[in-house]
Amino acid sequence: MEQMRGRSAVRSRAGLTLTELMVSLAIVGIVSAVAIPTAKKGMASEAVRGARRSVTTQLARARGTAANRGCRSALHMTSGANAQIWVTSCTVGGVGVDTIGGVQDLGNRFGVTVSTSGDSVIFNPNGLGSSPGWIVMKFGKGGHSDTLAISPIGWATW
């Protein structure tokens, strides 16, 4: 009989008390209040870096396409919250213009705003750029920003 009482006492203690539950929820709330803003900052920073990397990838695509096809190619860019980038080149047959790899919508993909001092970077068949000067692109989101500078010969620096 004594053993039965011990078991029933353990069974009645199988759950959490209201006080324990409230303390647990308070701890989760405090940790969330600290972690969520930090996570949002990190996500905004990564979105800005991702947009910059996307531009440098397309820049390399334009350079490689010019050298491979033996004709001029260009990286085109627009500014604003709906910024886009795309590469054009001559067709493989040499007549007309192809868009290489499609248009990338930086604004929707990364949620960034882009400002740029130029609208295109032209590459000659030897793979070297022929822009008249430096093009500076600025990427921003949620208080984070980054800059990409493209030299007249088409090399990116940040």
Side-chain angles (χ1 to χ4, degrees):
M1 192 87 169
E2 184 101 10
Q3 291 177 341
M4 290 287 277
R5 266 192 248 157
R7 285 187 191 163
S8 66
V10 170
R11 281 190 191 151
S12 68
R13 182 73 180 121
L16 295 172
T17 66
L18 183 59
T19 305
E20 291 170 332
L21 187 59
M22 296 291 282
V23 169
S24 298
L25 288 175
I27 290 170
V28 168
I30 291 168
V31 169
S32 296
V34 171
I36 288 174
T38 303
K40 282 185 178 182
K41 267 198 239 178
M43 290 170 49
S45 179
E46 183 55 35
V48 168
R49 284 192 303 268
R52 187 193 70 208
R53 283 190 301 263
S54 186
V55 172
T56 58
T57 299
Q58 290 295 81
L59 198 61
R61 175 176 280 168
R63 180 183 304 109
T65 301
N68 286 335
R69 293 190 178 186
C71 62
R72 291 171 61 118
S73 67
L75 170 66
H76 304 278
M77 57 201 85
T78 62
S79 294
N82 298 317
Q84 296 179 327
I85 57 171
W86 66 98
V87 175
T88 59
S89 184
C90 65
T91 60
V92 176
V95 179
V97 176
D98 272 343
T99 299
I100 312 298
V103 176
Q104 291 194 14
D105 191 344
L106 299 176
N108 285 332
R109 182 174 176 200
F110 298 102
V112 297
T113 301
V114 179
S115 65
T116 179
S117 63
D119 61 356
S120 62
V121 179
I122 309 295
F123 289 92
N124 293 320
N126 62 4
L128 291 176
S130 61
S131 297
W134 285 80
I135 295 175
V136 178
M137 296 183 76
K138 294 181 182 178
F139 306 89
K141 179 179 182 176
H144 292 277
S145 63
D146 204 347
T147 302
L148 175 70
I150 303 169
S151 73
I153 60 169
W155 293 104
T157 58
W158 55 87

